[in-house]
């Protein structure tokens, strides 16, 4: 399960939070190649309908529905929660050309990449709040945290590149560009010291 390009493997996971004395749930869809959160939703409950809605939103945002029938489309990795194993979930994912893969029971690493990103959101935003005062506040703060994670936060799994950069440019291209920049810096340093030594 190590994709070589975006939109081959997606993971989905959820966590709970409190809004105005009630439990709500954050559901995300993560692209495993770039570590980008490609879709998310905030709901008062998690059922098969919310799972399908967030995955369908990811399909639309990533243009998966516009790909030719022969193109590779994402496999969705999920745990064995009741909302994921429902026949409705499987059929509605497959009708969009995707494949649902349920991680093995008793294998906590099956969806570990998605769970690590959810852990980041919990540590850096959700767990810092005793509770959110309103749904609007929760959506605003969590949306800002997801934007920061996708567009600004260096990601160690991406070699320090933010997920959105890898999602749209590819890890190899970014790595090559960084190597070129480092080489140019080294060349300028050598030129400078050559000039200094000749001046002496």
């Amino acid at each position: 399960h190590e994709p070589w390009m975006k939109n081959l493997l997606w993971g989905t996971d959820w966590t709970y939070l409190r809004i105005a004395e009630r439990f709500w749930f954050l559901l995300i869809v993560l692209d495993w190649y770039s570590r980008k959160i490609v879709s998310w939703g905030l709901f008062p409950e998690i059922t098969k309908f919310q799972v399908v809605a967030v995955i369908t939103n990811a399909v639309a945002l990533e243009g998966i529905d516009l790909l030719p029938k022969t193109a590779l489309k994402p496999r969705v990795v999920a745990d064995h929660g009741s909302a994921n194993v429902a026949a409705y979930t499987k059929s509605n994912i497959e009708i969009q050309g995707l494949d649902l893969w349920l991680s093995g029971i008793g294998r906590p690493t099956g969806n570990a990449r998605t769970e690590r990103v959810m852990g980041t959101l919990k540590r850096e935003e959700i767990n810092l709040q005793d509770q959110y005062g309103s749904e609007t506040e929760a959506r605003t703060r969590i949306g800002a945290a997801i934007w920061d994670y996708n567009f600004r936060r260096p990601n160690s799994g991406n070699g320090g590149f933010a997920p959105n950069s890898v999602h749209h440019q590819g890890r190899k291209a970014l790595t090559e560009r960084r190597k070129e920049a480092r080489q140019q810096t080294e060349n300028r340093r050598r030129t400078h010291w050559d000039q200094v030594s000749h001046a002496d």
Side-chain angles (χ1 to χ4, degrees):
H1 286 89
E2 185 57 47
W4 65 92
M5 59 182 287
K6 69 177 183 179
N7 295 333
L8 292 182
L9 274 172
W10 289 350
T12 183
D13 192 23
W14 62 267
T15 192
Y16 66 87
L17 53 121
R18 284 162 56 88
I19 301 177
E21 304 296 341
R22 289 188 57 195
F23 283 108
W24 280 60
F25 301 89
L26 171 66
L27 180 64
I28 67 169
V29 176
L30 181 83
D31 179 67
W32 278 21
Y33 172 74
S34 65
R35 275 83 166 174
K36 181 179 181 180
I37 298 170
V38 294
S39 178
W40 65 279
L42 193 58
F43 306 103
E45 61 180 351
I46 291 290
T47 72
K48 57 192 177 183
F49 302 112
Q50 285 78 32
V51 171
V52 169
V54 172
I55 292 172
T56 300
N57 189 50
V59 167
L61 291 172
E62 293 298 308
I64 305 301
D65 52 333
L66 302 178
L67 295 175
K69 290 185 178 181
T70 56
L72 290 173
K73 296 181 180 179
R75 166 173 283 185
V76 180
V77 181
D79 63 26
H80 282 257
S82 59
N84 298 328
V85 301
Y88 176 90
T89 303
K90 182 177 174 63
S91 63
N92 277 273
I93 287 176
E94 291 180 348
I95 202 171
Q96 298 181 77
L98 282 63
D99 176 36
L100 178 64
W101 187 84
L102 299 174
S103 58
I105 298 175
R107 296 183 61 185
T109 59
N111 198 16
R113 188 166 296 183
T114 314
E115 292 170 0
R116 282 198 299 270
V117 172
M118 183 64 84
T120 297
L121 293 176
K122 290 170 70 174
R123 285 192 310 274
E124 298 183 2
E125 169 56 32
I126 295 171
N127 289 349
L128 300 180
Q129 316 300 323
D130 176 51
Q131 66 174 311
Y132 296 93
S134 65
E135 179 185 348
T136 299
E137 178 192 355
R139 290 188 185 280
T140 300
R141 292 188 63 93
I142 292 171
I146 290 175
W147 188 93
D148 187 74
Y149 168 83
N150 277 341
F151 288 87
R152 297 180 58 184
R153 188 181 187 279
N155 191 296
S156 59
N158 286 339
F161 298 111
N164 188 69
S165 297
V166 174
H167 201 70
H168 291 285
Q169 300 179 55
R171 194 176 299 118
K172 182 178 180 180
L174 290 169
T175 301
E176 290 298 322
R177 198 170 305 153
R178 182 164 60 187
K179 286 180 180 178
E180 292 175 4
R182 286 176 175 171
Q183 187 60 54
Q184 290 172 1
T185 300
E186 181 63 24
N187 291 341
R188 286 195 296 269
R189 184 180 295 113
R190 288 178 179 174
T191 300
H192 169 76
W193 287 111
D194 285 345
Q195 292 172 346
V196 169
S197 62
H198 286 131
D200 293 340

